[in-house]
């Protein structure tokens, strides 16, 4: 069974112990795959205005003219999020409640060759999917790890407005 609907969504990522906060409001397409399995596809709007900083000089920043495509595969026990399409980097996160998952980041040069891969681990503290038959809320709490170094505790929330 594959059905789809177009809905407005809000996606936020917050760190509870670092000064990191991001929110995106856009439209998403929901694909109902099987019982309790959904794919959510959204385009993050292009970043138009941003403050000058030394970070702008880094070569891995995305090209602001290309929107990023976020694809979430959602079930009650696992979430996979893939970002692609901006020309400089992409990533894939796999979260499963109570399990160490994998986060992979691929960095590309100007010729779009994959040259660098960064692999981190995450530990999913909590995963909550609410709403039937179509989900309307997703909350994911996880820790990000590099070897034995904890790189923060994060909360990602997705609200689907019906």
């Amino acid at each position: 069974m594959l059905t789809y609907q177009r809905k407005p969504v809000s996606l936020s990522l917050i760190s509870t112990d670092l000064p990191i906060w991001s929110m995106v409001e856009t439209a998403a397409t929901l694909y109902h795959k099987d019982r309790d399995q959904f794919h959510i596809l959204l385009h993050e709007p292009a970043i138009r205005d941003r403050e000058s900083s030394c970070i702008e000089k880094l070569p891995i920043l995305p090209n602001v003219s290309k929107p990023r495509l976020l694809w979430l595969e959602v079930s009650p026990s696992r979430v996979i999020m893939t970002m692609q399409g901006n020309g400089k980097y992409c990533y894939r996160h796999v979260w499963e409640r109570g399990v160490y998952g994998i986060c992979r980041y691929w960095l590309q040069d100007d010729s779009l060759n994959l040259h660098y891969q960064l692999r981190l681990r995450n530990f999913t503290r909590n995963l909550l999917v609410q709403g039937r038959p179509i989900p309307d809320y997703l909350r994911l709490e996880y820790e990000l790890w590099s070897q034995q170094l904890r790189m923060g505790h994060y909360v990602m929330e997705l609200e689907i407005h019906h």
Side-chain angles (χ1 to χ4, degrees):
M1 157 173 58
L2 179 62
T3 59
Y4 68 93
Q5 298 180 20
R6 190 94 171 132
K7 300 285 184 181
V9 298
S10 300
L11 177 67
S12 66
L13 177 69
I14 300 167
S15 174
T16 62
D17 47 9
L18 296 169
I20 297 172
W21 178 83
S22 179
M23 183 168 183
V24 174
E25 292 186 357
T26 188
T29 304
L30 282 69
Y31 296 91
H32 189 180
K33 296 287 288 181
D34 291 319
R35 183 181 169 188
D36 295 332
Q37 293 184 338
F38 297 89
H39 288 194
I40 302 170
L41 185 64
L42 61 101
H43 291 273
E44 181 178 354
I47 300 168
R48 299 272 183 232
D49 298 318
R50 62 178 193 222
E51 297 178 21
S52 298
S53 72
C54 61
I55 295 175
E56 289 181 342
K57 298 175 186 173
L58 292 175
I60 61 171
L61 283 177
N63 183 343
V64 295
S65 65
K66 296 181 181 178
R68 296 190 290 188
L69 177 65
L70 293 175
W71 175 20
L72 288 95
E73 300 171 52
V74 178
S75 72
S77 61
R78 181 173 56 198
V79 173
I80 300 171
M81 182 169 70
T82 306
M83 189 279 288
Q84 62 187 33
N86 76 343
K88 291 290 183 184
Y89 70 94
C90 55
Y91 57 78
R92 184 174 179 95
H93 293 266
V94 178
W95 296 285
E96 193 167 345
R97 186 183 300 120
V99 174
Y100 279 97
I102 295 175
C103 301
R104 284 201 172 111
Y105 297 84
W106 292 272
L107 307 177
Q108 301 169 331
D109 64 9
D110 289 333
S111 66
L112 300 181
N113 294 322
L114 294 178
H115 283 284
Y116 309 100
Q117 178 177 306
L118 176 65
R119 184 176 163 187
L120 302 173
R121 292 181 304 135
N122 63 60
F123 180 76
T124 306
R125 289 181 172 186
N126 189 27
L127 171 60
L128 174 66
V129 179
Q130 292 179 336
R132 294 228 188 261
I134 304 283
D136 56 15
Y137 181 75
L138 164 70
R139 181 179 173 98
L140 181 62
E141 297 179 40
Y142 67 97
E143 298 172 355
L144 192 60
W145 290 82
S146 175
Q147 301 291 332
Q148 301 300 317
L149 176 64
R150 189 173 85 111
M151 300 175 67
H153 174 243
Y154 300 88
V155 177
M156 183 177 79
E157 290 184 328
L158 176 72
E159 293 182 55
I160 301 168
H161 309 285
H162 295 285

